[in-house]
Amino acid sequence: MKETYLGVDVSLLTYEGIISDLENRIQREEQSTIIAVNPEKIITAQKDSAVKKLINNATYQIADGVGVLLASKLKGGNLKSRVTGVDMMATLLAFAANKQHPVYFYGAKEETVKLAIENIQKEHPSIPVAGYTNGYDKDEAALVERIQASGAKILFVALGSPKQELWIERNMDKLSNVKVFQGVGGSFDVFSGTVKRAPAIFRKLGLEWLYRLISSPSRLKRQLNLPIFLFRVLKEKNNK
Ligand code: UDP
């Protein structure tokens, strides 16, 4: 259930599809990784084969950006909707509360990660929080031991990309108790309320990029990846 754009895999599963697949994998004691894919990352992957490998080795490459959905539509692909990193995290939090899977939060500033957990606990009072660490902690080996000993089954890593994905790749063998890893970028900032999501109307129309551009014009350079990506995908012959 994947499509490939410029050599990068994208999963066709919905939120529900990923959760039900994950349940089976957890039962089989398999580890899974979730990575958000957007035009910016696919362009980086074209220049950097290590990044490409990192993305393609993940269990689920979710179509975070509207750009990937557009690409699928332009090429007659089967991707039906986006699966955003922040909504995937929200779905996993509900799953964790429901199944009582302990969750560990690693990343962002101390105040941010604390506030994010407070808000998450307001929404899911029964969620088991195994622990948290801010993203500026320097002792990686000690942190890995702490997470492994915490009993966490789900780990969110919020260090930005590709730092968080490299961290997961480097440490997942040592974190055998953790079954689900998601690199979530700025999502703790969203859950903490420090960063506001785009208003619903922008989200509904798939125009979050426009909202972000208006609120912070310095993102223009990053966003130029979207037309470059679409142009290259259109030139590409085969996506299957
Ligand atoms: N961050 C961190 N440690 C670092 C660098 C970044 O914890 O060494 C955090 C930062 O505080 C922010 C998140 O990583 O919460 C980066 O979010 P951003 O939106 O830049 O990530 P993206 O989703 O764009 O990759």
Side-chain angles (χ1 to χ4, degrees), residues 86 108-109 112 115-116 119 185-199 203 211-212 215-216 219:
V86 66
K109 299 197 184 102
T112 306
L115 258 175
N119 289 336
S187 297
F188 293 0
D189 302 74
V190 174
F191 280 97
S192 72
T194 319
V195 168
K196 294 271 171 288
R197 286 192 81 178
R203 281 192 263 156
Y211 177 78
R212 292 209 197 103
S215 13
S216 116
R219 293 181 65 97

Side-chain angles (χ1 to χ4, degrees), residues 20-32 59-60 153 176 179:
S20 81
D21 202 51
L22 271 178
E23 279 196 277
N24 294 329
R25 293 177 60 91
I26 292 173
Q27 232 156 40
R28 295 198 299 265
E29 298 275 307
E30 288 170 356
Q31 291 182 304
S32 310
T59 319
Y60 310 101
K153 263 217 168 115
S176 56
K179 298 301 176 223

Side-chain angles (χ1 to χ4, degrees), residues 11 78 98 121-122 158 177:
S11 163
N78 290 310
N98 183 21
Q121 283 176 318
K122 271 184 215 145
N177 295 335

Side-chain angles (χ1 to χ4, degrees), residues 40 213 216-228:
E40 191 183 358
L213 185 61
S216 116
S218 61
R219 293 181 65 97
L220 181 63
K221 191 154 172 275
R222 282 176 71 169
Q223 293 197 339
L224 283 175
N225 284 307
L226 176 67
I228 295 171

Side-chain angles (χ1 to χ4, degrees), residues 74-86:
L74 285 171
K75 296 294 258 188
N78 290 310
L79 190 64
K80 292 285 174 285
S81 59
R82 295 187 305 157
V83 172
T84 67
V86 66

